[in-house]
Amino acid sequence: MSGRQAAAGGFWRDNSLTLAFGGAFLVVLACQAVAGRAEFNEQLATAGLQQVTFAQYLVSSDFAVDVTENWQSEFLQFFLYIFGTVWLLQRGSPESKELHKAGPESEEEQRMGEHARADSPRWAGTGGWRQTVYSRSLGMVMALLFVLSWLAQSVSGSAAYNAEQLRELSEPIGWAAYLASADFWSRTLQNWQSELLAVAAMAILSVYLRQRGSPESKPVGASHTATGVEG
């Protein structure tokens, strides 16, 4: 095997988790677009209206709101989980830190400042605002992605809602009014509750159940009370 082939194989292996889930995301998104367009055209046909092409559906508010309402709930889940697990604990779960490590931990434990190593990110070893920002950058980016996707959902949801109102010869409403509407909060809360349930279930089930070889599980023979131990 040539060095180039070995390097290519190493790239796919070293990034297989991101590539596999990223590829699966694109496949599922494409399938959602196909199914969503079929459902949307059925609704238009029932109302006696002209059906839309696949390209028209891809740029429609109906497709946008269906996608973004799921994105914002996922990013909210990770934002809450990242920040929540700084302080919140679950005895026996690999999803939790060890019970004596609640809080942001010391600079030595976090390899910050003078405790940074040669291979540590540059901003981990600096002081001031750069270290402060970098030490919270994952949660901050997840929060930003949540806000942006929530905003996109609210705008596209308002457009989709008003398009339906016009098809029914009803009065459209403004964006602010849509934010207070039952349609917006029904879409939003049904996604939030499912994400929170999934996190809670993972935290408690991983106390007693195992998945051999997964870093999301404790080692198969680990005690049920072992906390913060990954397989």
Side-chain angles (χ1 to χ4, degrees):
M1 181 182 293
S2 69
R4 181 175 297 179
Q5 290 174 320
F11 172 81
W12 286 99
R13 180 202 64 200
D14 295 348
N15 299 280
S16 58
L17 185 59
T18 299
L19 293 170
F21 278 89
F25 159 73
L26 295 176
V27 170
V28 173
L29 182 63
C31 292
Q32 178 189 349
V34 173
R37 181 210 171 205
E39 180 185 21
F40 186 58
N41 276 337
E42 287 178 2
Q43 295 173 353
L44 292 178
T46 301
L49 301 174
Q50 183 178 356
Q51 298 188 352
V52 299
T53 65
F54 188 68
Q56 288 173 326
Y57 180 70
L58 288 181
V59 297
S60 71
S61 57
D62 289 84
F63 180 61
V65 70
D66 286 343
V67 171
T68 54
E69 73 181 24
N70 289 296
W71 288 6
Q72 59 92 5
S73 64
E74 294 292 343
F75 289 126
L76 175 65
Q77 177 199 71
F78 283 111
F79 162 67
L80 293 176
Y81 193 69
I82 290 166
F83 274 99
T85 50
V86 174
W87 295 98
L88 303 179
L89 306 169
Q90 174 58 58
R91 181 180 177 86
S93 177
E95 300 295 310
S96 167
K97 296 194 295 185
E98 295 177 70
L99 301 180
H100 66 281
K101 291 186 176 180
E105 303 179 12
S106 66
E107 290 198 354
E108 181 178 4
E109 290 173 311
Q110 288 292 308
R111 304 175 190 175
M112 295 167 58
E114 62 181 14
H115 302 288
R117 303 179 181 179
D119 60 349
S120 297
R122 181 182 302 176
W123 281 22
T126 62
W129 69 269
R130 289 180 297 176
Q131 185 188 79
T132 299
V133 169
Y134 187 71
S135 66
R136 295 167 176 81
S137 56
L138 181 58
M140 291 169 64
V141 168
M142 287 297 176
L144 177 61
L145 291 173
F146 161 67
V147 171
L148 292 176
S149 56
W150 179 87
L151 180 62
Q153 179 208 348
S154 67
V155 172
S156 58
S158 176
Y161 180 81
N162 282 331
E164 184 176 354
Q165 288 288 94
L166 291 173
R167 287 196 295 269
E168 297 176 353
L169 303 179
S170 300
E171 187 74 18
I173 62 176
W175 178 69
Y178 179 71
L179 290 184
S181 71
D183 182 82
F184 174 74
W185 286 107
S186 176
R187 286 177 173 272
T188 299
L189 294 174
Q190 68 180 329
N191 284 284
W192 287 7
Q193 56 86 15
S194 63
E195 301 299 336
L196 296 173
L197 174 62
V199 171
M202 182 62 182
I204 191 62
L205 291 177
S206 60
V207 174
Y208 303 102
L209 306 179
R210 309 286 188 270
Q211 180 59 53
R212 183 174 180 173
S214 175
E216 299 303 311
S217 166
K218 293 186 289 189
V220 176
S223 166
H224 288 329
T225 58
T227 306
V229 179
E230 297 180 345

